[in-house]
Structure formats: C-alpha cells, structure tokens
Amino acid sequence: MFIAKLTAVSLLLAACYQTSDADESFVDVACPGVNSVLQCPTGHRIRITAVDYGLQENADCSNRQQAAQVSTEKGIHPQYLIWMKFICDGEPRCRLPKPDPTIFTENWSPDNFIQIAYNCEEEPEGLIRKYVCEGDTETITCDRGELRIQNAKYGRLDENICTDESSVMTFCNSPTTVIALNFLCNRGGVATDSCTVTADDNTLGVPAPCDDLPKYLTVDYYCTDM
C-alpha cells in the first residue's frame, strides 16, 4: 500500500530540489520492524540517491548509519525510490515505512533490511517555509518582491505538527499539491506578492496513505525582486 501511483506530477515533485550540490552523504539502515528515518543537519535538506536491501545478518542494527552489505539481486519495487523521493526530498527530516512485502516485487523476507542512501544539501538562500493546518485559511505574503512557490506538500510528514496526538503515518502526501498551489497563486501567470490558501482536500488534492489525525500544508517559497 506504500507504493503511490506516480504520474508526471509526482515525477516533477521528486525533482524540485535539484538545484544545489550535495554537502554530505549518509545512509540509514532500517532493520525489520524499524521505520526508516532520514535526518539532515540544521540548514540542510534531504535528497535521496539510492535504496537497497539485504538480510539482517549482514547489517549492524545497533548502528543504523553504518552501511550494510546489500543484496546484488533485484527485489525492491522499481517505483519505490521515486515514491521515497516524492515524500522526502526537500525535507530536513523524513520518516518512512518499516520493511514491508509491498515494497518488494521479489526476494521478500521478514529478515530484510532497507538501506537508503541520501545527501544533505545546503538549504537554498532565501527559502521560506510555512505550515498551514488542515481547515485553516492563511495568506502567504512577501513584504518585498513577488511570491515564487518552490515546492508544496499536503498531508502529514511529521509526527507532531498540527496535532496533539503523535502520528505514525508520516508518509501521507498528495501528488497534486504543488500544481494546485501554483495555479491558485499565479492565476493567469500574473506575479503577486501574496496568496490566500485553505489547507483542505478540495483545494490541494487528497493525500495518502493517512491516518485520521489532522493533515497540514507545507509551503517552501521565495520572495524575489519584481
């Protein structure tokens, strides 16, 4: 259930942060029963580069940042890497599903680990991030210059934002959010310094997979010179 039906929209989203060079490279090894968790230093954003798998006996599960011996055989669903990038790229932190048979097309074993390689890239200068909780209407405003949307995600990618109860479904995302928000904020291609948006399914698209906790909109944007 964790493989999204990817279209040209989500392929575009996966490429949103291809403008800077990698600063540091990391791996995360999620052993059986453990979620993948990617974390960058302050001021940096994730860019996933590869996903591999192997047997637990070939990994040090007490040190998840230590690269393990991975399998040379095919097994992981060919779209899983694209889906992970859709969820995680451009985020400072990302939590993904535990190793699961739906991730695999062959060679699944309950003893499989998932190894994700990723870079932490320096956050682009001038980038602003704003959160809007589900059901709220807020205005994204530039005090100077015009508003340029870099990326947007609607769903839930964090355990605690916009909720008093911690969530475990932190890979809930709509594939149409960035296009919907750009359409809303740049109607007719006319530059503007503000945009009012309501964070809901009707405006931003239906995200999945999600739990029943409130969702939220994440917007990354610039204020550029007119």
Side-chain angles (χ1 to χ4, degrees):
M1 66 177 174
F2 297 119
I3 302 296
K5 183 178 179 182
L6 295 171
T7 63
V9 174
S10 52
L11 289 171
L12 175 63
L13 286 171
C16 278
Y17 284 86
Q18 291 183 349
T19 56
S20 60
D21 295 329
D23 292 277
E24 300 180 76
S25 297
F26 298 88
V27 297
D28 179 77
V29 178
C31 286
V34 177
N35 291 82
S36 296
V37 179
L38 317 184
Q39 177 82 52
C40 281
T42 301
H44 291 71
R45 302 287 183 98
I46 294 165
R47 172 169 297 284
I48 294 177
T49 57
V51 57
D52 293 289
Y53 77 99
L55 291 175
Q56 181 175 353
E57 64 191 47
N58 295 319
D60 180 358
C61 293
S62 66
N63 184 7
R64 61 187 305 155
Q65 294 187 342
Q66 175 65 46
Q69 180 181 337
V70 300
S71 175
T72 58
E73 298 182 4
K74 293 182 179 179
I76 294 179
H77 195 291
Q79 287 192 332
Y80 189 60
L81 175 60
I82 297 173
W83 180 79
M84 289 191 306
K85 291 175 68 64
F86 168 63
I87 299 294
C88 295
D89 277 9
E91 298 300 315
R93 180 182 181 274
C94 186
R95 179 180 175 277
L96 290 166
K98 301 170 185 177
D100 183 274
T102 61
I103 295 170
F104 289 77
T105 56
E106 54 188 306
N107 294 324
W108 159 251
S109 165
D111 292 326
N112 281 346
F113 65 79
I114 297 292
Q115 177 173 290
I116 301 173
Y118 63 102
N119 294 332
C120 287
E121 299 181 344
E122 189 173 359
E123 189 173 280
E125 184 178 357
L127 189 68
I128 303 168
R129 169 159 285 199
K130 184 178 182 67
Y131 298 106
V132 183
C133 297
E134 183 177 13
D136 289 352
T137 299
E138 294 198 22
T139 301
I140 305 166
T141 303
C142 287
D143 294 332
R144 296 180 58 184
E146 65 182 44
L147 175 67
R148 295 291 184 185
I149 304 297
Q150 166 74 3
N151 197 12
K153 298 178 181 180
Y154 172 65
R156 174 160 294 282
L157 305 179
D158 179 87
E159 293 95 327
N160 300 306
I161 293 174
C162 292
T163 179
D164 295 328
E165 179 183 345
S166 186
S167 174
V168 297
M169 297 296 286
T170 53
F171 27 87
C172 157
N173 197 13
S174 167
T176 60
T177 302
V178 69
I179 288 179
L181 193 61
N182 270 303
F183 177 79
L184 181 68
C185 296
N186 296 284
R187 290 181 178 177
V190 178
T192 181
D193 61 0
S194 67
C195 178
T196 300
V197 59
T198 299
D200 60 24
D201 294 4
N202 290 333
T203 304
L204 303 170
V206 179
C210 307
D211 54 23
D212 294 330
L213 294 177
K215 301 180 283 289
Y216 60 91
L217 169 66
T218 305
V219 186
D220 288 330
Y221 67 99
Y222 295 99
C223 294
T224 62
D225 294 335
M226 294 285 193

